[in-house]
Amino acid sequence: MLAGAEKGLSDFLLGKASNLYEFEQHIYPLDVIASTSFDNLPTNINRYFLRATAMDIVGNSQGTYIYTKLPSFIVLGVVKCKQSREMRSSRVAISGGTMSPREYVFPDGFDVYIMDAANKISELYEQIPADQLAKIEKYVLDNPDKVLESKLFEAIAHDYDRFGRKSLR
C-alpha cells in the first residue's frame, strides 16, 4: 500500500505521470485558535499550528495518510481513504486553483492525533537540558528586539492570550 503511494508520488514529482490518481494531496491552512468547542486543548496549540514541523504516516480504520506539518499548514497525502468525498474542499487540484476560506474536514480521528502531537511537542520542550535553556535565555536577553519580532514569540503570545500562565509551564 505505501509502496504504491511512494511510486505514484515519485512518478508525479519526476514528471513520469501527469496525475496523482487515488493518491490525493490535501492542504489545510492553519491559523490562530480564536475559539473552539474542544475540551482540553493543548496549551501550546498555537505554537504547534503556527511554528512546528513534523512528518508521520498515520492510519486508522478509515484510511492511511502521509502527514506533513509545516508552519501554518498541514499537507495530508492520501494513501487509502474512505472519506475522500467529505474531504473534497481541501484537495489540491493538479491544474491549479486558489486557496480561500471554506469548511475543511479532517479524516475521522485527526483531531485527537493533532492534539496528541501538540502535547508531545510540549513534553519535548520540558526535556530541554538546563544548559541549553540557559543558552536560549541568554539569546533572548541579548536580542530582545529580534525575539519580540519573531513568529515564535507571536505564537507564544497567542497561546498566552488564550491559556494564560498555563501556556508557559
Side-chain angles (χ1 to χ4, degrees):
M1 178 172 21
L2 286 174
E6 181 180 11
K7 172 96 170 90
L9 292 170
S10 174
D11 286 351
F12 178 76
L13 291 172
L14 295 172
K16 295 178 183 176
S18 61
N19 198 315
L20 288 169
Y21 302 103
E22 72 269 24
F23 306 114
E24 299 173 349
Q25 299 292 300
H26 293 260
I27 293 182
Y28 297 88
L30 303 171
D31 203 352
V32 174
I33 299 291
S35 66
T36 182
S37 59
F38 287 101
D39 293 331
N40 300 322
L41 202 61
T43 58
N44 68 325
I45 194 68
N46 288 303
R47 282 169 279 180
Y48 182 74
F49 276 6
L50 302 175
R51 302 309 309 150
T53 60
M55 292 183 73
D56 200 359
I57 296 175
V58 181
N60 62 22
S61 63
Q62 299 297 307
T64 305
Y65 309 92
I66 301 167
Y67 175 82
T68 306
K69 168 66 189 74
L70 301 168
S72 300
F73 288 94
I74 292 173
V75 179
L76 202 58
V78 171
V79 176
K80 180 183 91 172
C81 180
K82 293 182 180 178
Q83 293 181 280
S84 288
R85 182 171 290 144
E86 295 86 355
M87 295 168 48
R88 190 100 176 132
S89 66
S90 60
R91 187 177 62 85
V92 175
I94 299 297
S95 60
T98 59
M99 291 182 67
S100 60
R102 58 184 74 176
E103 295 283 326
Y104 291 96
V105 176
F106 280 113
D108 289 343
F110 256 79
D111 54 341
V112 174
Y113 174 82
I114 289 169
M115 288 193 285
D116 285 348
N119 282 325
K120 285 178 186 169
I121 295 289
S122 192
E123 291 168 11
L124 287 173
Y125 281 137
E126 291 175 9
Q127 297 173 18
I128 296 174
D131 59 329
Q132 187 62 37
L133 287 173
K135 291 176 186 178
I136 294 169
E137 183 176 351
K138 181 178 179 350
Y139 179 85
V140 169
L141 293 173
D142 291 348
N143 300 283
D145 292 336
K146 281 185 180 179
V147 171
L148 290 173
E149 292 174 11
S150 73
K151 293 290 186 181
L152 176 57
F153 184 81
E154 185 179 318
I156 291 168
H158 288 302
D159 282 334
Y160 185 82
D161 289 344
R162 177 126 178 90
F163 301 104
R165 292 192 59 80
K166 287 191 309 186
S167 67
L168 302 176
R169 290 195 246 182

